[in-house]
Amino acid sequence: DQQVKQNSPSLSVQEGRISILNCDYTNSMFDYFLWYKKYPAEGPTFLISISSIKDKNEDGRFTVFLNKSAKHLSLHIVPSQPGDSAVYFCAASVSGGSYIPTFGRGTSLIVHP
Amino acid sequence: DAGVIQSPRHEVTEMGQEVTLRCKPISGHNSLFWYRQTMMRGLELLIYFNNNVPIDDSGMPEDRFSAKMPNASFSTLKIQPSEPRDSAVYFCASSPGRSIQNTEAFFGQGTRLTVV
């Protein structure tokens, strides 16, 4: 059973607009959340994270929002650029445990020029 | 640092053959992970080592899969005998340690395995 769910396999956005990638989780023990970005033929690279003590974390064009009551997080990219086209993985871990990140299946983002 | 290094990048083998995937983690990292990526399951954890000791191997699909970490700078994932359903991209990742500030895992470029 998937503990981290990314229900949208793909997303298409126009350059300059906002991209919103969503992620849901089922394990209430998760308290640290991460987003990774993956280009073809490369390994995933860390993008941004958020601790459960916060509800928002911003880094340049990337912002992650966390709604603990809904067990939902989202990644906002503003403005979207063609170079953002990649697969985005949501991951979650338990800080008091082994910190092993559990990943979702990923969402493929395509940003059109 | 060169990052996490995996070899080979691509492997094509016949069903029934033994396959060995190799990984060199980032120097100084205490945790090492092996993940498998498939279309159906996404990135699934196979095994996790901490300080060279296997901590969680519950993700290893079956006895055909085995992993070792003889020292802090080297790990192998072996499949014997290999089957077509093992075809996937296998990633090795390492992270600095067991604290909330060091949760980010650094991934290698992966090994694309095709079993025919």
Side-chain angles (χ1 to χ4, degrees):
Chain A
D1 185 31
Q2 287 266 318
Q3 297 188 64
V4 178
K5 300 178 183 179
Q6 294 177 259
N7 293 320
S8 297
S10 63
L11 176 67
S12 182
V13 172
Q14 199 72 29
E15 180 179 7
R17 307 294 287 264
I18 184 171
S19 295
I20 300 177
L21 297 98
N22 293 303
C23 178
D24 298 290
Y25 59 96
T26 57
N27 188 344
S28 58
M29 297 295 292
F30 288 145
D31 59 2
Y32 195 68
F33 305 90
L34 311 94
W35 285 94
Y36 285 77
K37 177 178 179 179
K38 183 186 178 302
Y39 291 118
E42 295 183 12
T45 55
F46 170 73
L47 185 59
I48 192 170
S49 63
I50 187 168
S51 166
S52 61
I53 61 173
K54 295 184 176 181
D55 54 18
K56 176 183 175 181
N57 188 26
E58 191 172 352
D59 183 2
R61 297 185 297 112
F62 302 90
T63 303
V64 56
F65 295 92
L66 176 62
N67 182 334
K68 290 187 291 294
S69 60
K71 293 192 178 67
H72 176 84
L73 63 155
S74 60
L75 175 68
H76 293 212
I77 306 173
V78 182
S80 302
Q81 299 174 355
D84 296 329
S85 298
V87 176
Y88 289 80
F89 288 97
C90 172
S93 64
V94 178
S95 61
S98 55
Y99 307 102
I100 301 172
T102 299
F103 286 84
R105 293 181 182 175
T107 297
S108 177
L109 173 66
I110 299 173
V111 180
H112 297 282
Chain B
D1 199 314
V4 176
I5 300 173
Q6 290 186 247
S7 64
R9 291 292 310 276
H10 303 273
E11 177 78 37
V12 180
T13 190
E14 290 186 346
M15 182 174 63
Q17 295 298 306
E18 177 180 299
V19 175
T20 299
L21 312 181
R22 297 173 177 79
C23 174
K24 181 180 187 306
I26 293 173
S27 177
H29 281 192
N30 295 328
S31 298
L32 183 139
F33 313 88
W34 281 101
Y35 284 89
R36 177 171 68 177
Q37 183 189 12
T38 61
M39 290 295 291
M40 290 297 294
R41 295 175 175 268
L43 274 169
E44 53 177 341
L45 178 72
L46 300 178
I47 188 168
Y48 158 60
F49 291 88
N50 185 258
N51 291 324
N52 312 339
V53 177
I55 303 298
D56 183 353
D57 65 353
S58 58
M60 297 286 261
E62 45 197 277
D63 292 345
R64 298 184 297 107
F65 286 70
S66 62
K68 293 182 180 179
M69 192 166 185
N71 57 62
S73 59
F74 184 65
S75 177
T76 59
L77 177 67
K78 185 179 293 186
I79 308 172
Q80 165 64 17
S82 58
E83 296 182 2
R85 59 190 168 124
D86 302 330
S87 298
V89 181
Y90 291 80
F91 288 103
C92 176
S94 68
S95 70
R98 302 184 67 175
S99 70
I100 195 68
Q101 292 81 12
N102 291 320
T103 302
E104 293 84 5
F106 296 78
F107 283 77
Q109 290 186 296
T111 295
R112 180 174 292 278
L113 173 65
T114 304
V115 183
V116 297

